[in-house]
Amino acid sequence: MSRKLRMGMIGGSLDAFIGAVHRKAAALDGEIELVCGAFSSDPKKSKATGKALYLDPSRVYGSYAEMIEKEKQLPEDQRMDFVSIVTPNHVHFDPAKMALENGFHVIIDKPIAFNVAEAKALKKIVDKTGLVLALTHTYTGYPLVKEARNMVKTGKIGKVRKVYVEYPQGWLSTFVEGTGNKQASWRTDPSKSGAGGAIGDIGTHAANLAEYISGSDIVEINALLNTVVKGRQLDDDSSMLVKFENGASGVLLATQVAAGDENNLNIRVYGEKGGLEWRQEEPNTLVVKWLDKPKEIIRAGWGYLCDAAKKNTRTPSGHPEGYLEAFANIYMAFARGVRDHKAGKTIDPAKYDFPDAQDGVRGMAFVDAVIKSATSNKKWTPLKV
């Protein structure tokens, strides 16, 4: 395919945070262009967003259903190739289902759906159609996260024994949803966010990162779930013990009431021979701690990194890459899969290294398991998909 991939967007109006992030990430490498959109459930707002983005007015739609239907009617050399879904959680499943059933690939903001049933149903549609679906678990896109994963996979730190992953934020330390904050309003509303608050929003990121680096799935959870801020409808704080399929144990913390913290996602993975430590707020540094020799500081952009890390790095060492670049790495991996896709056949997401529908199902199952554990006297609860 000797052209840019054509993207349509659902959600992401001018006053939405994540839509702009997706657009910037998709455009970063010059492989994708935005050609159409249904940017809001309010047709006027959608049109205003399309105008601000210099899109053809005839391809700015009043609803996602209209966009999918009309784009499908366009000639193959004009219509969109895939849909980017950047809506609140309760508007993930229906547009993704419709897009896939009409022959369009999908990239979707996490979590994949509103609940486990929707996630599993979407996975079945992906399997049936053979189309490509990627989930933007952004933090797996960082070069040094890929380096950490490779060090575990190649046995450099030995068999993994212990995982600590923490995701403290402080932005919901007060009742900001009562002040008109749009992001807080929908994320703390169970009718829009789903059953999980902080665990659905950031806890799923922490769990996904732990599984990605360790190379092992979480199989059991023993959780404590809190709603700290008075009047809030969903959890804003959690702590849990976890067990991994490979026998390792771990601790996972996800809280949005850690006053003063910004986006302090960090992870430590310990094996028989040494440990790894990575922090999202300092993403170009990976600390390697050895059992029998001095610790090492691994930095992004150097030739000694594994192929996956180098492939996902754009700048020389000492030139920081961050959130947008990691996001763009997910888009690039997805784009490679879309380009290689052939009708009637499926691609293997593992080959391209992007989170897929199965990761989405695991994310929703994680939320369910945490809630079941926190509300049960038995505590240790299986994470089943």
Side-chain angles (χ1 to χ4, degrees):
M1 187 185 295
S2 57
R3 61 169 176 82
K4 292 185 178 183
L5 292 177
R6 295 183 288 264
M7 179 175 83
M9 179 167 277
I10 297 172
S13 64
L14 293 178
D15 60 352
F17 157 67
I18 204 65
V21 171
H22 277 259
R23 289 190 289 270
K24 291 170 184 175
L28 188 61
D29 294 294
E31 293 287 329
I32 297 168
E33 61 179 332
L34 179 67
V35 298
C36 63
F39 299 104
S40 172
S41 57
D42 179 346
K44 290 183 178 179
K45 187 181 288 188
S46 183
K47 290 291 184 184
T49 302
K51 183 178 180 180
L53 296 172
Y54 305 104
L55 295 182
D56 178 345
S58 69
R59 298 183 73 179
V60 182
Y61 304 100
S63 70
Y64 70 79
E66 180 191 11
M67 183 181 85
I68 292 169
E69 289 168 358
K70 289 191 174 179
E71 286 293 313
K72 188 177 180 181
Q73 294 169 12
L74 291 175
E76 192 173 344
D77 63 349
Q78 296 178 31
R79 70 171 75 118
M80 65 183 180
D81 296 302
F82 73 91
V83 171
S84 174
I85 299 174
V86 296
T87 52
N89 303 352
H90 70 300
V91 195
H92 281 189
F93 176 76
D94 287 338
K97 177 178 183 291
M98 186 175 182
L100 290 165
E101 290 178 342
N102 282 274
F104 297 109
H105 305 284
V106 171
I107 187 165
I108 187 168
D109 206 42
K110 73 102 218 63
I112 194 171
F114 190 69
N115 53 41
V116 173
E118 286 188 352
K120 289 183 175 180
L122 204 55
K123 172 70 164 54
K124 287 182 179 179
I125 296 169
V126 171
D127 292 341
K128 181 180 178 180
T129 62
L131 294 169
V132 184
L133 183 144
L135 188 66
T136 53
H137 271 302
T138 315
Y139 304 107
T140 63
Y142 281 99
L144 290 185
V145 167
K146 297 188 181 299
E147 180 69 17
R149 174 181 169 89
N150 183 72
M151 292 188 74
V152 171
K153 188 176 182 180
T154 56
K156 291 183 179 178
I157 66 166
K159 183 181 177 182
V160 172
R161 292 171 166 172
K162 198 76 180 180
V163 178
Y164 296 89
V165 59
E166 301 175 322
Y167 202 154
Q169 294 178 335
W171 74 291
L172 290 181
S173 292
T174 61
F175 194 68
V176 292
E177 58 265 46
T179 67
N181 183 302
K182 182 179 178 180
Q183 291 298 318
S185 294
W186 78 259
R187 292 176 193 275
T188 57
D189 182 347
S191 70
K192 294 181 172 65
S193 183
I199 54 167
D201 188 18
I202 61 175
T204 51
H205 272 312
N208 177 262
L209 184 66
E211 292 185 341
Y212 184 79
I213 292 179
S214 72
S216 185
D217 290 341
I218 295 170
V219 293
E220 283 190 273
I221 294 172
N222 185 336
L224 173 66
L225 206 58
N226 296 320
T227 303
V228 175
V229 174
K230 185 177 180 181
R232 183 160 290 154
Q233 299 182 72
L234 291 172
D235 64 276
D236 51 24
D237 174 65
S238 67
S239 304
M240 64 200 76
L241 303 176
V242 297
K243 295 178 183 178
F244 291 83
E245 191 174 28
N246 68 352
S249 63
V251 178
L252 188 153
L253 177 152
T255 182
Q256 292 174 315
V257 293
D261 261 329
E262 296 176 328
N263 200 54
N264 193 17
L265 172 62
N266 61 86
I267 184 167
R268 288 171 287 156
V269 178
Y270 295 97
E272 297 165 317
K273 304 174 185 176
L276 306 169
E277 183 173 348
W278 179 82
R279 296 183 60 240
Q280 193 274 155
E281 291 183 351
E282 297 290 342
N284 290 319
T285 298
L286 175 67
V287 179
V288 185
K289 306 169 184 178
W290 298 109
L291 177 64
D292 55 359
K293 58 183 177 180
K295 71 174 62 173
E296 297 177 13
I297 305 297
I298 305 295
R299 293 282 293 166
W302 286 88
Y304 54 67
L305 298 174
C306 70
D307 289 343
K310 288 188 283 191
K311 187 177 182 179
N312 286 276
T313 304
R314 294 171 180 78
T315 59
S317 59
H319 296 74
E321 295 192 24
Y323 181 68
L324 289 176
E325 289 84 358
F327 224 112
N329 286 337
I330 305 293
Y331 265 92
M332 274 297 294
F334 167 74
R336 292 187 189 105
V338 170
R339 288 184 184 280
D340 288 349
H341 177 266
K342 291 179 175 58
K345 296 186 177 181
T346 59
I347 66 147
D348 179 8
K351 175 183 175 182
Y352 300 90
D353 194 17
F354 62 78
D356 64 355
Q358 181 62 21
D359 292 297
V361 173
R362 289 198 60 77
M364 297 314 301
F366 167 80
V367 172
D368 263 17
V370 171
I371 293 172
K372 286 177 183 176
S373 173
T375 55
S376 169
N377 291 326
K378 294 181 179 179
K379 303 312 291 180
W380 280 110
T381 303
L383 196 167
K384 296 180 179 180
V385 295

